[in-house]
Amino acid sequence: MIIYHNEDVDQLRRAAYPPLADLADAIYWQSRGQSGKMEEYNAAVEAVKTRYPKRAML
C-alpha cells in the first residue's frame, strides 16, 4: 500500500523533530556518563522517521 501525503513530507518531518536544544542537552549529559537523555532523543527521532518515511524516488 502506498500512502500519499498532501503536504510535503520533508516539511512534516522538520516540524516533528525534537528541538536541537534537546540534542545539546543530551550530548552534555552523555558526556557526563548519563545516556538516558540521548536514548530518549534518539527514540524521538526514530519515531519521526517511522511516522514520516521518505518516499522512494521513482
Side-chain angles (χ1 to χ4, degrees):
M1 174 190 341
I2 298 175
I3 299 173
Y4 294 98
H5 297 280
N6 291 335
E7 297 182 59
D8 181 15
V9 173
D10 291 336
Q11 182 180 2
L12 291 170
R13 286 175 72 143
R14 279 191 297 275
Y17 279 125
L20 289 177
D22 291 355
L23 176 59
D25 191 47
I27 291 170
Y28 171 80
W29 286 109
Q30 187 177 41
S31 75
R32 300 288 186 238
Q34 297 178 17
S35 62
K37 287 192 178 210
M38 184 60 79
E39 291 170 5
E40 290 173 13
Y41 184 85
N42 287 335
V45 169
E46 188 63 34
V48 172
K49 290 180 178 293
T50 300
R51 184 172 181 187
Y52 302 111
K54 287 189 177 180
R55 290 182 275 186
M57 301 300 285
L58 299 176

